[in-house]
Amino acid sequence: MKAPAWAHAPLEVSGNEAGGKLTGLYEIWHDKSGDSVLADAQQVYTNGGFHPLESAGSTGLRPGAFWSHFTLRNNESQSVKLHIEYVDHQLVGLQAFAREFASSKPYRQVGNLSIYSPFKSRQIEHNRFVFEIIVPALSTQELMVKFDSGELGVVFPSMRIWKPETLQRNSKGEISVLAFLFGGYFLMAIFAFVGAITVKEKILYFYSLYCASKIFVWGTVLGYTHQYLMTDHFHWSYASLSSAVAILTGLIFARTFLDTRCYTPKLDYLLQLMMVNGGFLLLCALLELKALSQVSMIIALLSYPLIVPIALVRWRQGDNAAAVFALGWTTLVLGLLLQAMRDLGYVVHSPLNYYWPPLASYVEMLAIMVAVGLMVKRLRLQKDRAEKKYLQQLEVSKVDLEHLVQLRTRELEAAKARAEHEARTDPLTGIYNRRSFFEESRPLIKLALRKHIPLGVLMLDIDHFKSINDIYGHSIGDQALRATARVIAQHVRDMDVFGRIGGEEFALLVSADELGAITIAKRVHGDIAKIIINSSQGPVQFTASIGVACLQGESDILELLQRADSALYMAKRSGRNRVIEYSAEGVGA
C-alpha cells in the first residue's frame, strides 16, 4: 500500500537522538467522540482527513482524542532503538502503532499507556508516557499514535525522539532539579511550622500548609505521584484535587496575609468568591466531573492575577511586606500564564516553559517567605516600640502610678472587706447572719467541750411580729428588728456569738453556766420590753419570748439550738413574753 501523494516526508533518525527532534504536526486528525480505533484512523488517513495542526503545538482545550501520523527513516546500516516521549503530562491515554512504510502489512501495537493502569505496567519507567520502537537499518517505519484527553483536555501531538540512554540521563537530571525544588518546599514548610510554634503567629501555619500543598500539586501534575506513591490506582482527578487544594490554601494564605477582611473589605468579597470557586473545583474533583473541573480550573487561573492589585492596594496603605508579596505572586501568575498560553497553542512547547510554572511557584514561595519575614519583623518592631513607649511613660509617671496602685489596692481591700462583711452579716441589723452564726459557733462549742467551759444559747422571737408589720407597716417592723438587735448586742461579750437566724428570730451563744444564761436572758427580756418606736399611729412597744438551753455532754450547735427552740416553743405556748429554760425533764421559767 502506497502513501498518499500529500503525505509528509519521513523524519530521519539515528542512534544518537537527544530529544531535540520532534515528530511532526503535519498529519493530525481530531476524533471528537474519542471512540475511534486504528481502523477508523486508517480510513480517515486514506481519505485525506489528516491535516496540519494550526497552533504552535497544542490542540487547545478540546474533548475527545487526536491521531497523529508520521514516518521515521533510518539511513544507517544498523537498526536503531528509539524512545518516543510524550512531551507533557495532561494525557489520559496513548496508543501507538507501527509498520513498514507503504506496506500492506497490518500495524503492530508498540505502545499502550494509560494513567489508570498500574505504573509498573509501563514498558519504559518514566513519569511521562514513553514507548519504544526499533527502526531497522535502511528502512522507514510508519506510525499512528492516538492521544486520548478524555472528556475535555489538552493534547500535544508532537513527541520527542530519544536514544534510550540519553533519555535516562535526561530524566535523572530532571528528577535532580525537581528534588531540589521539592526539598526547598519541604524545608520552607518545616521552618514555617517550627516558627509558627515558636513565635505563635498563625500566618506561619498558613504559609507552612501552602508550601506543603505545592509538593502535592506539582508532584501530581508532573506525574511523580503516580510513579512513586499511587502506583496502582491513579486517576486523572488527583491532578484536579491537588490543584484545588493548592488554590484554596493559596487564597486562604493570601487573604490572611493581606488582611483584606480588615483593610480592604470590598476586595475581600472578591477573594471569597475565588475561594468558593476553589471549593467547587475540589468538589468536582471528588465527584470526578472532568469537564466542570476544567472549567473551574480555568476560572481559578484567570482570577489568580487579581491577587496582585489587591496586594498593591495594601502596599499603598503602608504595608511594605505586601509589595514583596505582590512580586512573588506576579512570578507565579507569569508562570501560570505561560502554561496557559502553551496549553492553548499560542506558545511552542519547550522544556523551559514546561518547567517554568513549578520554578515560578518556587520563586513565589521564596518571595512570600521574605514577605512573611518582613511582616513578622514589622509586628516585632511595633511590639518593641510599644514596649519602649510604655517603659518611657512608666518612668515619667512612676510616682503617680504607684499612688494610683496604692489607692486602687486600698479600694480593693475595702471592697473585699465590705464583700466579706456583707456575706457574713445580716444586711438589716448588721449582726451575724444564719450561716455566720453557725460557722462562729462550732469552734466555740468544740473548745468548750474540750476544756469543759459552760455554754448557753438563747433563742429569741419577737412576740406578734406579724401584727406589727400588718398594723404599722414593714418599715416599723424593720425598726423593731434593728432596735432588738441593738438591745441584745449590749449584752454580748467578746466570746459570745450573736446572730439573726430567721425573720424575727435571734440566737445568742454565751459563755455562761445555767444560772448565768438565765440571768442574761431575763435582762435581755426586760430591755426589749422597754423599747419604744414612734410611728404615725403612735408609739409602738413589743415583748419577746426567749428559750434557753445549756451545753450538756457531747453536743453540737444544731442540738443546742433545737433544745433552745423547744424552750422557745413552750414560752410561746404558755402565753409569750417570758423566758423558759430547757431541761431533760421538761421546761421551767
Side-chain angles (χ1 to χ4, degrees):
M1 174 181 178
K2 294 183 178 181
W6 47 263
H8 195 267
L11 184 65
E12 292 189 5
V13 294
S14 67
N16 297 313
E17 302 298 338
K21 196 170 292 182
L22 300 174
T23 63
L25 298 174
Y26 305 102
E27 298 172 351
I28 305 295
W29 170 51
H30 180 202
D31 169 29
K32 296 181 180 179
S33 69
D35 298 328
S36 57
V37 295
L38 177 61
D40 301 324
Q42 286 183 272
Q43 184 64 44
V44 172
Y45 181 76
T46 302
N47 295 335
F50 279 58
H51 303 286
L53 191 67
E54 298 177 355
S55 69
S58 167
T59 62
L61 196 63
R62 296 185 185 181
F66 284 83
W67 286 83
S68 173
H69 177 271
F70 58 92
T71 53
L72 301 178
R73 173 67 182 173
N74 178 16
N75 290 321
E76 297 187 358
S77 59
Q78 57 184 4
S79 62
V80 173
K81 180 189 292 186
L82 300 173
H83 284 176
I84 312 299
E85 175 205 17
Y86 182 69
V87 298
D88 202 67
H89 48 264
Q90 304 180 50
L91 200 64
V92 173
L94 183 149
Q95 291 179 319
F97 306 89
R99 69 177 180 181
E100 285 290 330
F101 178 63
S103 169
S104 59
K105 294 180 180 179
Y107 279 95
R108 67 187 186 280
Q109 190 171 58
V110 293
N112 184 17
L113 301 162
S114 172
I115 62 169
Y116 303 117
S117 300
F119 190 84
K120 61 183 179 181
S121 66
R122 296 188 181 186
Q123 181 184 7
I124 311 299
E125 185 176 336
H126 199 278
N127 59 301
R128 292 182 292 276
F129 288 159
V130 179
F131 65 89
E132 183 177 280
I133 184 172
I134 298 176
V135 183
L138 303 174
S139 69
T140 301
Q141 288 289 305
E142 181 179 7
L143 286 91
M144 279 279 192
V145 181
K146 180 182 180 181
F147 306 91
D148 185 6
S149 63
E151 299 175 22
L152 190 68
V154 174
V155 171
F156 295 87
S158 184
M159 296 178 289
R160 285 192 287 258
I161 304 175
W162 295 88
K163 179 182 178 180
E165 295 81 2
T166 306
L167 175 61
Q168 187 177 16
R169 286 196 302 270
N170 184 76
S171 298
K172 290 180 179 179
E174 288 183 26
I175 292 175
S176 298
V177 173
L178 290 173
F180 173 78
L181 295 182
F182 290 163
Y185 285 137
F186 179 76
L187 288 177
M188 284 187 279
I190 292 298
F191 288 157
F193 184 75
V194 173
I197 296 174
T198 303
V199 301
K200 293 180 173 55
E201 287 289 346
K202 69 175 182 178
I203 190 66
L204 292 176
Y205 286 112
F206 289 124
Y207 177 77
S208 176
L209 185 62
Y210 189 30
C211 285
S213 73
K214 294 288 186 176
I215 302 175
F216 180 34
V217 66
W218 291 119
T220 304
V221 166
L222 296 177
Y224 293 104
T225 300
H226 189 191
Q227 183 174 1
Y228 296 110
L229 297 178
M230 301 177 182
T231 58
D232 293 329
H233 304 288
F234 194 77
H235 194 272
W236 67 261
S237 62
Y238 297 160
S240 297
L241 183 64
S242 62
S243 298
V245 171
I247 288 171
L248 271 176
T249 53
L251 291 172
I252 293 172
F253 170 75
R255 185 169 182 246
T256 305
F257 181 88
L258 299 174
D259 202 3
T260 54
R261 182 179 180 182
C262 179
Y263 293 100
T264 56
K266 292 183 179 179
L267 295 176
D268 186 65
Y269 290 125
L270 182 60
L271 273 175
Q272 292 183 48
L273 289 175
M274 294 168 64
M275 290 170 64
V276 170
N277 179 66
F280 179 71
L281 174 59
L282 183 63
L283 180 63
C284 290
L286 291 173
L287 297 179
E288 300 181 4
L289 304 174
K290 186 172 185 180
L292 289 177
S293 295
Q294 294 282 7
V295 173
S296 179
M297 181 72 73
I298 292 174
I299 294 174
L301 295 178
L302 290 176
S303 60
Y304 237 45
L306 297 176
I307 304 295
V308 176
I310 296 176
L312 293 176
V313 170
R314 290 288 294 117
W315 173 54
R316 290 291 301 273
Q317 291 176 344
D319 186 357
N320 292 330
V324 182
F325 178 90
L327 180 63
W329 203 272
T330 300
T331 306
L332 172 65
V333 167
L334 291 176
L336 296 177
L337 178 62
L338 182 61
Q339 177 179 339
M341 294 180 67
R342 185 197 68 204
D343 289 349
L344 295 175
Y346 297 115
V347 176
V348 176
H349 187 289
S350 70
L352 177 62
N353 59 41
Y354 177 74
Y355 284 111
W356 175 248
L359 179 61
S361 182
Y362 183 80
V363 174
E364 172 223 7
M365 296 310 298
L366 288 175
I368 289 179
M369 183 172 64
V370 174
V372 171
L374 290 174
M375 187 191 72
V376 173
K377 180 180 179 181
R378 173 173 56 83
L379 294 175
R380 187 174 296 276
L381 288 175
Q382 289 177 350
K383 180 182 178 182
D384 292 341
R385 283 196 296 267
E387 289 179 352
K388 184 177 180 180
K389 183 178 180 181
Y390 173 75
L391 290 174
Q392 290 174 345
Q393 183 180 0
L394 187 63
E395 288 295 330
V396 172
S397 58
K398 184 177 180 180
V399 176
D400 292 339
L401 185 60
E402 289 177 351
H403 174 71
L404 290 174
V405 170
Q406 292 173 359
L407 181 61
R408 182 59 178 162
T409 301
R410 287 195 294 268
E411 290 176 352
L412 291 173
E413 289 176 350
K416 180 182 177 183
R418 286 196 301 272
E420 292 177 350
H421 178 74
E422 290 173 358
R424 293 175 58 83
T425 59
D426 173 49
L428 179 64
T429 61
I431 62 176
Y432 282 140
N433 57 22
R434 181 182 181 88
R435 187 188 70 180
S436 296
F437 177 81
F438 280 98
E439 289 178 352
E440 295 294 328
S441 298
R442 287 192 179 99
L444 187 58
I445 289 180
K446 290 181 180 179
L447 178 64
L449 290 172
R450 190 169 63 251
K451 295 191 175 183
H452 306 290
I453 299 173
L455 285 180
V457 66
L458 284 63
M459 282 280 289
L460 183 148
D461 187 287
I462 298 175
D463 295 331
H464 304 293
F465 182 74
K466 185 176 182 303
S467 299
I468 296 175
N469 280 332
D470 293 343
I471 296 172
Y472 300 101
H474 287 278
S475 175
I476 298 300
D478 290 345
Q479 291 184 46
L481 291 172
R482 285 194 290 267
T484 302
R486 285 195 298 270
V487 166
I488 300 173
Q490 295 173 1
H491 300 275
V492 176
R493 297 163 297 179
D494 291 341
M495 287 190 63
D496 299 340
V497 181
F498 175 41
R500 180 185 175 194
I501 60 174
E504 67 272 18
E505 289 185 342
F506 296 86
L508 175 60
L509 182 66
V510 295
S511 178
D513 56 12
E514 182 178 342
L515 180 58
I518 293 296
T519 302
I520 294 171
K522 289 183 177 179
R523 289 176 183 173
V524 169
H525 178 263
D527 290 344
I528 291 174
K530 298 175 184 178
I531 295 174
I532 299 176
I533 299 174
N534 295 319
S535 72
S536 59
Q537 301 179 43
V540 178
Q541 287 185 284
F542 52 89
T543 60
S545 299
I546 303 176
V548 181
C550 292
L551 185 62
Q552 299 174 357
E554 295 292 327
S555 302
D556 59 19
I557 186 60
L558 288 175
E559 294 180 17
L560 201 54
L561 280 176
Q562 287 175 357
R563 295 171 189 166
D565 189 56
S566 297
L568 175 61
Y569 178 75
M570 293 301 298
K572 290 181 179 181
R573 287 284 302 272
S574 59
R576 291 185 172 84
N577 189 22
R578 64 194 62 202
V579 176
I580 298 282
E581 178 190 3
Y582 175 87
S583 66
E585 292 78 14
V587 293

